[in-house]
Amino acid sequence: MSEAPPPVSGSPTLEDVARAAGVSRATVSRVINGVRNVNPAIQETVRQAIAATGYVPNQAARSLVTRRTGSVALVVSGAGVEGEENPFPNQVFADPFFGRVAGGVVGYLRPLGIHPVLLFAETDAARAEVVDYLRQGKADGAILVSTHGEDPLPKLLVDGGLPAVLFARPPEPLPISYVDVAHRTGAKLAADHLVARGCHRVATISGPLDVLAAQDRLAGFRDAMAMHGHPYIPCVEGAFTLDSGAAAMERLLAEHSDVDGVFVANDLMAQAALQVLHRHGRLVPDDVAVVGFDDSSAALACKPPLTTIRHPVEDMAAELARLLLAQIEQPDQRVTSVIFDPALVVRESA
């Protein structure tokens, strides 16, 4: 929109939003209800008009007609132990990745008057609670972020006929819509950059290899390095955490003391790897060049700032929210996948 909408007296209405956006009332209604066949540019214009006018959809009236709650569940599912007290939520909140997911989801849903409910599903009992929560109609659907490869929750949601979308490719073929990034392409960008810098003794710190994203990043990096004439790339497995990144870098230095380039499968582990290199007196990037993956807040917290692969998490999370609303509106539509392109972000570490 090129101009601010005129002031709205009283409570703004659907007609006020339509007038501000320069579209029909029916188009505004379709955007609010998550109907898929609306041009993305028009969707954005309507969302801006909603925010500018201060329009709030009447969820109570809408629920009576649609039998919907006007809320969705944002579910983080991982591995935990029955009876543990808060370790999994603590891990989630410590990782900037999950904050980026939540930001993208909220940024898309909030102008539509829809708010996500955060649920954790780290045990079988917790996963059963999520399924029951959705079956009881307490949320209209679920945006699922799964953190381990053998997570049964995606299949439980599909088998239950519950509206759900998944962040990242499912661990097994399932009829569920998902959004992902081209991990292998991103890893190739990292390999190409290290080789272009003149690195000859390159190693990698992978993520947990029961996670498809970690598998793809490792395979993509090794394939690209092989194309550059490097058939063997040492690898130490990490867990996408600070502590695991530090331990992996210590092991790499112990076993491959002449390493001069490292691709680290996420920024959090790369941050720890840089700290270890500093403690060992290795200059970055002069002695060892380091490339991460994510372009999260951790990348800028690194010393030196981290060269990394841009993982457009916020945009991906917004797309997940859009896909879920469309599925809620039209349950019989076919499942789909949306794959985002990564990009190399060059800073001082490589």
Side-chain angles (χ1 to χ4, degrees):
M1 294 178 296
S2 58
E3 298 181 2
V8 176
S9 59
S11 298
T13 66
L14 212 62
E15 288 77 9
D16 295 322
V17 175
R19 190 179 306 111
V23 300
S24 69
R25 185 183 186 281
T27 297
V28 174
S29 179
R30 288 203 303 274
V31 172
I32 289 173
N33 288 300
V35 176
R36 190 173 183 182
N37 61 344
V38 180
N39 183 287
I42 294 176
Q43 290 185 45
E44 181 60 27
T45 298
V46 171
R47 284 197 294 272
Q48 291 179 19
I50 290 170
T53 60
Y55 174 73
V56 178
N58 188 332
Q59 295 296 346
R62 185 176 168 210
S63 295
L64 289 174
V65 175
T66 64
R67 298 185 180 277
R68 295 176 192 152
T69 65
S71 68
V72 300
L74 176 57
V75 184
V76 183
S77 181
V81 177
E82 301 284 352
E84 280 188 318
E85 188 174 346
N86 287 330
F88 182 71
N90 290 346
Q91 292 171 17
V92 170
F93 290 128
D95 190 334
F97 168 81
F98 297 103
R100 295 177 66 194
V101 172
V105 169
V106 171
Y108 185 89
L109 295 178
R110 189 175 183 184
L112 304 178
I114 300 172
H115 301 281
V117 178
L118 179 61
L119 302 176
F120 294 107
E122 71 274 33
T123 64
D124 288 341
R127 283 184 276 273
E129 289 176 3
V130 169
V131 172
D132 287 343
Y133 187 90
L134 293 169
R135 281 178 174 160
Q136 293 168 16
K138 294 180 179 178
D140 298 324
I143 296 169
L144 174 59
V145 183
S146 183
T147 64
H148 69 111
E150 298 180 358
D151 186 2
L153 188 53
K155 189 173 188 303
L156 291 174
L157 296 174
V158 170
D159 290 347
L162 298 165
V165 293
L166 181 61
F167 196 110
R169 179 162 51 102
E172 60 178 295
L174 285 173
I176 186 171
S177 292
Y178 69 87
V179 170
D180 209 345
V181 70
H183 297 282
R184 289 174 182 253
T185 301
K188 180 182 184 302
L189 292 173
D192 293 347
H193 184 69
L194 289 171
V195 170
R197 278 192 56 87
C199 296
H200 298 289
R201 297 171 298 280
V202 176
T204 184
I205 297 172
S206 77
L209 293 177
D210 66 335
V211 175
L212 286 176
Q215 295 172 20
D216 286 346
R217 292 176 195 181
L218 177 59
F221 186 71
R222 281 180 160 162
D223 287 349
M225 290 301 296
M227 294 293 290
H228 287 293
H230 298 269
Y232 172 65
I233 300 298
C235 175
V236 177
E237 183 179 355
F240 286 149
T241 62
L242 276 170
D243 289 346
S244 70
M249 193 67 245
E250 291 282 4
R251 182 176 162 188
L252 276 181
L253 289 177
E255 297 178 359
H256 306 276
S257 60
D258 61 348
V259 64
D260 65 358
V262 183
F263 169 52
V264 188
N266 82 333
D267 290 350
L268 208 57
M269 293 193 299
Q271 183 179 9
L274 288 172
Q275 293 168 356
V276 169
L277 288 167
H278 177 73
R279 288 200 299 270
H280 283 265
R282 303 294 179 93
L283 298 178
V284 178
D286 295 344
D287 298 331
V288 184
V290 179
V291 178
F293 198 114
D294 280 340
D295 197 26
S296 66
S297 58
L300 294 176
C302 289
K303 295 182 180 180
L306 184 67
T307 292
T308 188
I309 304 302
R310 170 69 179 165
H311 187 181
V313 173
E314 293 86 353
D315 293 340
M316 294 165 65
E319 178 64 12
L320 274 178
R322 188 190 71 78
L323 288 175
L324 180 61
L325 295 186
Q327 183 184 138
I328 292 167
E329 183 69 22
Q330 298 178 321
D332 58 346
Q333 67 179 298
R334 69 178 183 86
V335 298
T336 190
S337 57
V338 181
I339 310 299
F340 283 72
D341 291 324
L344 176 68
V345 180
V346 178
R347 297 193 180 97
E348 296 173 28
S349 72

